[in-house]
Amino acid sequence: MDFGMGNRLSRVMGKGRTVMLAVDHGYFQGPTTGLENLKRSLAPLIPFADSLMLTRGALRSSVDPAEKVPIVLRSSGGTSVLKELSDEGVTTSIEEAVRLNASAVAVSVFVGSEREKQTLLNLSSTVDEGERYGMPVLAVTAVGREMNRDSRYLGLACRIAAELGARVVKTYYCEDFEKVVDACPVPVVIAGGKKVPERDALQLAHDAVSKGAAGVDMGRNIFQSADPVGMIKAVRAVVHEGADVESALAMVRQIAAGR
Ligand code: 5RP
């Protein structure tokens, strides 16, 4: 691997495990609970994130350029919750990603959806350009309402994304998750999904890494927690230190009690 690609990837993936903080939700759903004021929500969390996944608008407006946190730039979009979500295009070029000193770009694919081909071609064209500049592409396997989030479907989506050149794939946790990881030749990270109780979100992170995930790219279960800083610290303990769920949960409670 060329130095630029290797260097950027290692900034995002560390030595194999990562806690990415996903705060790109506004790109299709506008103001999001927990992220109404991006700058205020992000500031306390940045020191504990291995990378930040967000749009260029959020980055320019709400993150201090002096921050050292690696950036994963959301580069697909063009849709809103009011219309067909799979109808995405590429919204941010690799040139813009280089200008913003991004360490990777993220593109969603909607396998099995109405616009499957369009989104897979968004990924391929971004990989073509990204490889030219040493910019890794993270593929997000977005799941339409009509799809089952099972290992067969997610395994298919992850494998296609990797075959099209994604350097990292983000997907959802599912039963038999180890089959998804085994069939995907690049590292897999998981999204947290809808907000659930802290214990369940920590269990999800724990099970995912035990079954081969390289970490999490978690959003709502961190920034919508009653204690976002406690929660990201607890997720870090699970992903980086192999903490069990109960001791990680105790960490969230201690931090909340000490406030
Ligand atoms: C949307 C995304 C989001 O970043 C991701 O799903 C957010 O993570 P979470 O589900 O943990 O809130 O990629 O397509």
Side-chain angles (χ1 to χ4, degrees), residues 68-202:
K68 303 234 173 340
V69 64
I71 298 302
V72 179
L73 201 62
R74 158 60 65 179
S75 295
S76 68
T79 57
S80 84
V81 280
L82 303 180
K83 290 255 204 164
E84 172 53 43
L85 283 179
S86 65
D87 196 16
E88 287 197 350
V90 175
T91 53
T92 307
S93 66
I94 295 293
E95 183 188 336
E96 174 79 325
V98 169
R99 184 178 301 121
L100 288 165
N101 200 26
S103 297
V105 298
V107 172
S108 290
V109 294
F110 293 72
V111 172
S113 74
E114 212 177 299
R115 307 278 186 216
E116 172 186 273
K117 181 175 178 184
Q118 174 183 320
T119 64
L120 291 174
L121 295 181
N122 290 341
L123 173 63
S124 305
S125 60
T126 306
V127 169
D128 276 343
E129 211 191 338
E131 292 289 322
R132 208 175 298 139
Y133 291 90
M135 181 68 70
V137 180
L138 176 150
V140 179
T141 68
V143 182
R145 273 188 209 98
E146 64 285 4
M147 295 297 150
N148 284 332
R149 289 188 188 195
D150 59 18
S151 62
R152 230 170 133 212
Y153 170 73
L154 294 173
L156 171 80
C158 289
R159 179 60 176 264
I160 290 173
E163 298 261 358
L164 292 181
R167 296 280 186 164
V168 182
V169 177
K170 168 177 170 171
T171 194
Y172 291 92
Y173 183 72
C174 61
E175 207 174 306
D176 297 327
F177 184 71
E178 63 279 8
K179 290 187 183 164
V180 176
V181 174
D182 193 46
C184 184
V186 299
V188 176
V189 294
I190 59 145
K194 280 193 186 135
K195 173 77 177 75
V196 291
E198 272 80 3
R199 175 182 274 111
D200 296 351
L202 292 168

